Short mmCIF file of all heavy atoms in Angstrom, two decimals:
data_model
loop_
_atom_site.label_atom_id
_atom_site.label_comp_id
_atom_site.label_asym_id
_atom_site.label_seq_id
_atom_site.Cartn_x
_atom_site.Cartn_y
_atom_site.Cartn_z
N PRO A 157 13.86 198.45 68.53
CA PRO A 157 12.93 197.71 67.64
C PRO A 157 12.14 198.60 66.69
O PRO A 157 10.91 198.58 66.65
CB PRO A 157 12.01 197.00 68.64
CG PRO A 157 12.00 197.89 69.83
CD PRO A 157 13.39 198.49 69.92
N ILE A 158 12.87 199.38 65.90
CA ILE A 158 12.25 200.25 64.90
C ILE A 158 12.90 199.96 63.55
O ILE A 158 14.12 200.07 63.43
CB ILE A 158 12.45 201.74 65.25
CG1 ILE A 158 11.79 202.09 66.58
CG2 ILE A 158 11.89 202.64 64.14
CD1 ILE A 158 12.09 203.50 67.06
N PRO A 159 12.13 199.53 62.55
CA PRO A 159 12.73 199.32 61.23
C PRO A 159 13.16 200.67 60.65
O PRO A 159 12.51 201.69 60.93
CB PRO A 159 11.59 198.69 60.42
CG PRO A 159 10.34 199.15 61.11
CD PRO A 159 10.69 199.31 62.56
N PRO A 160 14.26 200.72 59.89
CA PRO A 160 15.03 199.59 59.37
C PRO A 160 16.22 199.17 60.23
O PRO A 160 17.13 198.52 59.71
CB PRO A 160 15.51 200.15 58.02
CG PRO A 160 15.75 201.60 58.31
CD PRO A 160 14.67 202.00 59.27
N LEU A 161 16.26 199.55 61.49
CA LEU A 161 17.33 199.09 62.36
C LEU A 161 17.24 197.57 62.55
O LEU A 161 16.19 196.97 62.34
CB LEU A 161 17.26 199.79 63.72
CG LEU A 161 17.52 201.30 63.72
CD1 LEU A 161 17.40 201.84 65.15
CD2 LEU A 161 18.89 201.62 63.15
N ASP A 162 18.34 196.98 63.00
CA ASP A 162 18.36 195.52 63.17
C ASP A 162 17.28 195.06 64.14
O ASP A 162 16.68 194.00 63.96
CB ASP A 162 19.73 195.08 63.68
CG ASP A 162 20.83 195.37 62.67
OD1 ASP A 162 20.53 195.35 61.46
OD2 ASP A 162 21.98 195.59 63.09
N GLY A 163 17.05 195.84 65.19
CA GLY A 163 16.01 195.47 66.15
C GLY A 163 14.64 195.38 65.51
O GLY A 163 13.83 194.52 65.87
N GLY A 164 14.38 196.25 64.54
CA GLY A 164 13.11 196.20 63.81
C GLY A 164 13.01 194.95 62.95
O GLY A 164 11.95 194.32 62.86
N ARG A 165 14.13 194.56 62.32
CA ARG A 165 14.15 193.33 61.51
C ARG A 165 13.94 192.09 62.39
O ARG A 165 13.26 191.15 62.01
CB ARG A 165 15.49 193.20 60.78
CG ARG A 165 15.88 194.38 59.93
CD ARG A 165 15.05 194.49 58.69
NE ARG A 165 15.58 195.52 57.79
CZ ARG A 165 14.86 196.11 56.84
NH1 ARG A 165 13.60 195.76 56.67
NH2 ARG A 165 15.40 197.03 56.06
N ILE A 166 14.57 192.12 63.56
CA ILE A 166 14.42 190.99 64.48
C ILE A 166 12.97 190.90 64.96
O ILE A 166 12.38 189.81 64.98
CB ILE A 166 15.38 191.14 65.68
CG1 ILE A 166 16.83 191.04 65.19
CG2 ILE A 166 15.10 190.09 66.74
CD1 ILE A 166 17.86 191.44 66.23
N LEU A 167 12.40 192.05 65.33
CA LEU A 167 11.00 192.06 65.77
C LEU A 167 10.08 191.58 64.66
O LEU A 167 9.14 190.83 64.91
CB LEU A 167 10.62 193.47 66.20
CG LEU A 167 9.17 193.67 66.68
CD1 LEU A 167 8.88 192.80 67.90
CD2 LEU A 167 8.90 195.15 66.98
N ARG A 168 10.37 191.97 63.42
CA ARG A 168 9.54 191.55 62.27
C ARG A 168 9.53 190.05 62.13
O ARG A 168 8.50 189.44 61.82
CB ARG A 168 10.08 192.19 60.98
CG ARG A 168 9.32 191.79 59.72
CD ARG A 168 7.89 192.28 59.78
NE ARG A 168 7.14 191.88 58.60
CZ ARG A 168 6.46 190.75 58.48
NH1 ARG A 168 6.49 189.86 59.48
NH2 ARG A 168 5.77 190.49 57.39
N GLY A 169 10.67 189.40 62.39
CA GLY A 169 10.73 187.94 62.28
C GLY A 169 10.00 187.23 63.40
O GLY A 169 9.65 186.06 63.26
N LEU A 170 9.76 187.93 64.50
CA LEU A 170 9.09 187.32 65.65
C LEU A 170 7.58 187.54 65.65
O LEU A 170 6.85 186.81 66.32
CB LEU A 170 9.68 187.88 66.96
CG LEU A 170 11.16 187.57 67.21
CD1 LEU A 170 11.64 188.33 68.44
CD2 LEU A 170 11.38 186.07 67.39
N LEU A 171 7.13 188.55 64.91
CA LEU A 171 5.71 188.90 64.93
C LEU A 171 4.89 188.00 64.00
O LEU A 171 5.37 187.58 62.95
CB LEU A 171 5.52 190.35 64.51
CG LEU A 171 5.96 191.43 65.50
CD1 LEU A 171 5.84 192.80 64.85
CD2 LEU A 171 5.15 191.37 66.78
N PRO A 172 3.64 187.72 64.37
CA PRO A 172 2.74 187.01 63.45
C PRO A 172 2.39 187.89 62.26
O PRO A 172 2.62 189.11 62.29
CB PRO A 172 1.51 186.72 64.31
CG PRO A 172 1.55 187.75 65.40
CD PRO A 172 3.00 188.02 65.67
N GLY A 173 1.84 187.28 61.22
CA GLY A 173 1.62 187.94 59.94
C GLY A 173 1.02 189.32 59.97
O GLY A 173 1.60 190.26 59.42
N ARG A 174 -0.15 189.51 60.59
CA ARG A 174 -0.83 190.79 60.53
C ARG A 174 -0.06 191.89 61.25
O ARG A 174 0.07 193.01 60.75
CB ARG A 174 -2.24 190.67 61.13
CG ARG A 174 -3.15 191.87 60.87
CD ARG A 174 -3.38 192.05 59.39
NE ARG A 174 -4.21 193.21 59.12
CZ ARG A 174 -4.43 193.70 57.91
NH1 ARG A 174 -3.89 193.11 56.85
NH2 ARG A 174 -5.19 194.77 57.73
N SER A 175 0.50 191.56 62.42
CA SER A 175 1.30 192.54 63.16
C SER A 175 2.55 192.90 62.38
O SER A 175 2.97 194.06 62.36
CB SER A 175 1.68 191.97 64.53
OG SER A 175 0.54 191.67 65.30
N GLY A 176 3.16 191.92 61.73
CA GLY A 176 4.33 192.17 60.91
C GLY A 176 4.01 193.10 59.75
O GLY A 176 4.85 193.93 59.36
N TYR A 177 2.81 192.97 59.21
CA TYR A 177 2.38 193.83 58.11
C TYR A 177 2.38 195.30 58.53
O TYR A 177 2.86 196.17 57.81
CB TYR A 177 0.98 193.42 57.64
CG TYR A 177 0.30 194.42 56.74
CD1 TYR A 177 0.64 194.52 55.39
CD2 TYR A 177 -0.68 195.29 57.25
CE1 TYR A 177 0.02 195.46 54.57
CE2 TYR A 177 -1.31 196.22 56.43
CZ TYR A 177 -0.96 196.30 55.10
OH TYR A 177 -1.56 197.22 54.28
N TRP A 178 1.88 195.58 59.72
CA TRP A 178 1.83 196.96 60.20
C TRP A 178 3.24 197.49 60.50
O TRP A 178 3.52 198.67 60.32
CB TRP A 178 0.94 197.07 61.43
CG TRP A 178 -0.51 196.93 61.09
CD1 TRP A 178 -1.35 195.90 61.40
CD2 TRP A 178 -1.29 197.86 60.32
NE1 TRP A 178 -2.61 196.12 60.87
CE2 TRP A 178 -2.60 197.32 60.21
CE3 TRP A 178 -1.02 199.09 59.71
CZ2 TRP A 178 -3.61 197.97 59.53
CZ3 TRP A 178 -2.04 199.74 59.03
CH2 TRP A 178 -3.31 199.18 58.94
N LEU A 179 4.13 196.62 60.95
CA LEU A 179 5.51 197.04 61.17
C LEU A 179 6.17 197.38 59.83
O LEU A 179 6.93 198.35 59.75
CB LEU A 179 6.29 195.94 61.89
CG LEU A 179 7.69 196.33 62.38
CD1 LEU A 179 7.61 197.41 63.44
CD2 LEU A 179 8.43 195.10 62.93
N ASP A 180 5.88 196.61 58.79
CA ASP A 180 6.40 196.92 57.46
C ASP A 180 5.90 198.28 56.98
O ASP A 180 6.65 199.04 56.35
CB ASP A 180 5.97 195.84 56.46
CG ASP A 180 6.67 194.51 56.69
OD1 ASP A 180 7.75 194.52 57.32
OD2 ASP A 180 6.14 193.47 56.25
N ARG A 181 4.65 198.60 57.28
CA ARG A 181 4.08 199.88 56.87
C ARG A 181 4.78 201.05 57.56
O ARG A 181 4.83 202.17 57.03
CB ARG A 181 2.58 199.91 57.19
CG ARG A 181 1.70 198.96 56.39
CD ARG A 181 1.53 199.46 54.95
NE ARG A 181 0.89 200.77 54.91
CZ ARG A 181 -0.43 200.95 54.87
NH1 ARG A 181 -1.25 199.90 54.88
NH2 ARG A 181 -0.94 202.17 54.82
N ALA A 182 5.30 200.79 58.77
CA ALA A 182 5.95 201.86 59.54
C ALA A 182 7.39 202.12 59.11
O ALA A 182 7.96 203.16 59.45
CB ALA A 182 5.91 201.51 61.04
N GLU A 183 7.98 201.18 58.34
CA GLU A 183 9.40 201.28 58.00
C GLU A 183 9.78 202.58 57.30
O GLU A 183 10.83 203.16 57.62
CB GLU A 183 9.85 200.08 57.17
CG GLU A 183 11.32 200.13 56.82
CD GLU A 183 11.86 198.80 56.29
OE1 GLU A 183 11.19 197.78 56.45
OE2 GLU A 183 12.97 198.81 55.73
N PRO A 184 9.00 203.10 56.33
CA PRO A 184 9.40 204.35 55.67
C PRO A 184 9.53 205.53 56.63
O PRO A 184 10.19 206.52 56.30
CB PRO A 184 8.27 204.59 54.66
CG PRO A 184 7.67 203.24 54.42
CD PRO A 184 7.78 202.52 55.72
N TYR A 185 8.91 205.43 57.81
CA TYR A 185 8.96 206.53 58.78
C TYR A 185 9.96 206.24 59.92
O TYR A 185 10.04 207.01 60.87
CB TYR A 185 7.57 206.74 59.38
CG TYR A 185 6.48 206.83 58.33
CD1 TYR A 185 5.64 205.75 58.07
CD2 TYR A 185 6.32 207.99 57.57
CE1 TYR A 185 4.66 205.82 57.09
CE2 TYR A 185 5.34 208.07 56.59
CZ TYR A 185 4.52 206.98 56.35
OH TYR A 185 3.56 207.06 55.38
N GLY A 186 10.72 205.14 59.77
CA GLY A 186 11.60 204.71 60.85
C GLY A 186 12.64 205.76 61.23
O GLY A 186 12.82 206.06 62.42
N PHE A 187 13.30 206.36 60.23
CA PHE A 187 14.34 207.33 60.54
C PHE A 187 13.75 208.62 61.12
O PHE A 187 14.37 209.27 61.96
CB PHE A 187 15.18 207.63 59.29
CG PHE A 187 16.20 206.58 59.00
CD1 PHE A 187 16.13 205.83 57.83
CD2 PHE A 187 17.23 206.33 59.90
CE1 PHE A 187 17.07 204.85 57.56
CE2 PHE A 187 18.18 205.35 59.63
CZ PHE A 187 18.09 204.60 58.47
N VAL A 188 12.55 208.97 60.68
CA VAL A 188 11.88 210.14 61.26
C VAL A 188 11.59 209.90 62.73
O VAL A 188 11.82 210.77 63.58
CB VAL A 188 10.57 210.45 60.49
CG1 VAL A 188 9.82 211.60 61.17
CG2 VAL A 188 10.87 210.78 59.04
N ILE A 189 11.11 208.70 63.04
CA ILE A 189 10.84 208.35 64.44
C ILE A 189 12.12 208.40 65.26
O ILE A 189 12.14 208.91 66.39
CB ILE A 189 10.21 206.94 64.52
CG1 ILE A 189 8.84 206.94 63.82
CG2 ILE A 189 10.06 206.49 65.97
CD1 ILE A 189 8.24 205.55 63.66
N LEU A 190 13.22 207.89 64.69
CA LEU A 190 14.50 207.90 65.40
C LEU A 190 14.98 209.32 65.67
O LEU A 190 15.48 209.62 66.76
CB LEU A 190 15.55 207.14 64.59
CG LEU A 190 15.49 205.62 64.67
CD1 LEU A 190 16.46 205.01 63.66
CD2 LEU A 190 15.81 205.13 66.07
N VAL A 191 14.84 210.20 64.67
CA VAL A 191 15.27 211.59 64.85
C VAL A 191 14.47 212.25 65.97
O VAL A 191 15.02 212.97 66.82
CB VAL A 191 15.12 212.37 63.53
CG1 VAL A 191 15.30 213.87 63.77
CG2 VAL A 191 16.12 211.89 62.50
N VAL A 192 13.16 212.00 65.99
CA VAL A 192 12.31 212.56 67.05
C VAL A 192 12.75 212.04 68.41
O VAL A 192 12.85 212.81 69.38
CB VAL A 192 10.83 212.22 66.78
CG1 VAL A 192 9.96 212.61 67.98
CG2 VAL A 192 10.34 212.92 65.52
N LEU A 193 13.03 210.75 68.50
CA LEU A 193 13.47 210.17 69.76
C LEU A 193 14.82 210.73 70.19
O LEU A 193 15.06 210.96 71.39
CB LEU A 193 13.55 208.64 69.64
CG LEU A 193 12.23 207.91 69.48
CD1 LEU A 193 12.46 206.41 69.25
CD2 LEU A 193 11.35 208.10 70.72
N MET A 194 15.72 210.95 69.22
CA MET A 194 17.02 211.54 69.54
C MET A 194 16.87 212.96 70.06
O MET A 194 17.47 213.34 71.07
CB MET A 194 17.91 211.55 68.29
CG MET A 194 18.54 210.23 67.93
SD MET A 194 19.67 210.44 66.53
CE MET A 194 19.35 208.94 65.64
N MET A 195 16.08 213.76 69.35
CA MET A 195 15.90 215.15 69.72
C MET A 195 15.24 215.29 71.08
O MET A 195 15.53 216.23 71.83
CB MET A 195 15.05 215.87 68.66
CG MET A 195 15.68 215.92 67.28
SD MET A 195 17.21 216.89 67.22
CE MET A 195 16.56 218.53 67.45
#
Side-chain angles (χ1 to χ4, degrees):
I158 298 174
L161 294 180
D162 296 330
R165 305 289 189 201
I166 294 169
L167 179 61
R168 178 64 181 89
L170 296 173
L171 288 174
R174 192 62 182 171
S175 300
Y177 166 78
W178 287 111
L179 189 65
D180 289 339
R181 293 287 299 272
E183 181 166 345
Y185 311 102
F187 281 116
V188 175
I189 296 171
L190 281 172
V191 169
V192 171
L193 292 175
M194 283 185 218
M195 297 295 291

